[in-house]
Amino acid sequence: MAYESPQLKLKNTYQWCIILGGGMMRAGEGYRTGETADRFIQPLLLYKKGMVKKLLITGGNVNIKGLKIDVTQESKKVKEVLIAMGVKPEDIYLEENARNTHENAVNTKQMLKPFLKERMVLVTSAMHMPRAEACYLKEGFLIDSFPADIKKKDTPSGILDQIIPQERNLAKFAELVREITGYVIYQIVGFA
């Protein structure tokens, strides 16, 4: 999709990689990945290549008393999966109180204050990256964006793609509307 941030090759080595939570894991027994698991898979690959040294997972508290209940414990589960995949436990940090993108940036800033003069990698879904990037820049971060969970089609469309409706396109459109609306609201209230 045209709104998605493109994934560029990183050319540097970074001390910190910030991973925004949301949809990476599903609730239930064991480790069931969610629709945005690529948000932790891409940083895992960067870590394995030696391009990032430490991973900070932010988010995971989407409970709103009486209105929304979430028992996923996403950040903890992602940490456990990353350790099982070879990441050293001492290289993973959790920020578990953020409930939205603005709080991700504010809370991460508190944790990484001594490192704010360093460039960091920011990872979230490509569709969500414009809003996330704006929030982190507003908080004074020097970031190189590394979008994950890219939904745009990599292959050319054929005739059948043009004439047969696909329900997943409605979901993509709903996500686009949500992200554009969120970005505008964040601009209005001063979060981005």
Side-chain angles (χ1 to χ4, degrees):
M1 299 188 78
Y3 185 76
E4 291 182 317
S5 295
Q7 190 178 69
L8 305 172
K9 288 194 179 256
L10 298 175
K11 296 178 179 147
N12 299 315
T13 317
Y14 302 84
Q15 178 80 3
W16 290 98
C17 178
I18 302 165
I19 304 165
L20 272 67
M24 296 187 293
M25 301 296 285
R26 292 182 288 151
E29 290 298 315
Y31 302 104
R32 301 176 359 180
T33 58
E35 63 277 3
T36 64
D38 198 42
R39 288 185 185 190
F40 73 83
I41 298 296
Q42 293 302 319
L44 169 66
L45 296 171
L46 293 173
Y47 178 87
K48 291 286 197 172
K49 290 178 187 174
M51 296 186 73
V52 298
K53 304 296 180 202
K54 300 192 181 301
L55 306 173
L56 188 148
I57 305 162
T58 174
N61 179 14
V62 294
N63 287 311
I64 303 171
K65 192 172 183 178
L67 297 174
K68 186 171 183 174
I69 299 169
D70 179 31
V71 294
T72 307
Q73 295 187 312
E74 181 178 67
S75 296
K76 286 184 178 122
K77 283 188 175 181
V78 169
K79 179 178 180 176
E80 291 171 11
V81 170
L82 289 170
I83 291 168
M85 293 177 144
V87 178
K88 295 177 188 170
E90 62 269 20
D91 290 341
I92 305 171
Y93 295 78
L94 302 181
E95 184 290 302
E96 300 178 276
N97 295 315
R99 297 167 294 173
N100 57 49
T101 310
H102 167 67
E103 290 181 6
N104 289 136
V106 170
N107 296 354
T108 302
K109 181 179 181 178
Q110 292 305 310
M111 292 180 72
L112 297 180
K113 228 175 206 171
F115 307 99
L116 286 180
K117 296 210 185 294
E118 297 178 21
R119 291 200 80 71
M120 300 178 197
V121 177
L122 180 66
V123 178
T124 189
S125 298
M127 185 75 74
H128 183 243
M129 187 58 80
R131 182 161 42 128
E133 191 174 63
C135 289
Y136 276 82
L137 291 173
K138 176 86 175 189
E139 293 301 317
F141 281 85
L142 301 172
I143 55 167
D144 287 339
S145 303
F146 196 77
D149 185 33
I150 297 171
K151 292 186 175 32
K152 79 174 183 171
K153 191 173 177 185
D154 291 334
T155 58
S157 295
I159 292 171
L160 288 180
D161 294 324
Q162 304 298 322
I163 60 174
I164 298 176
Q166 296 180 359
E167 64 279 354
R168 70 176 173 255
N169 289 335
L170 290 173
K172 288 179 185 178
F173 182 71
E175 187 178 358
L176 174 64
V177 169
R178 183 186 64 155
E179 284 303 327
I180 291 173
T181 303
Y183 187 87
V184 169
I185 290 169
Y186 272 36
Q187 287 282 320
I188 290 169
V189 300
F191 290 169

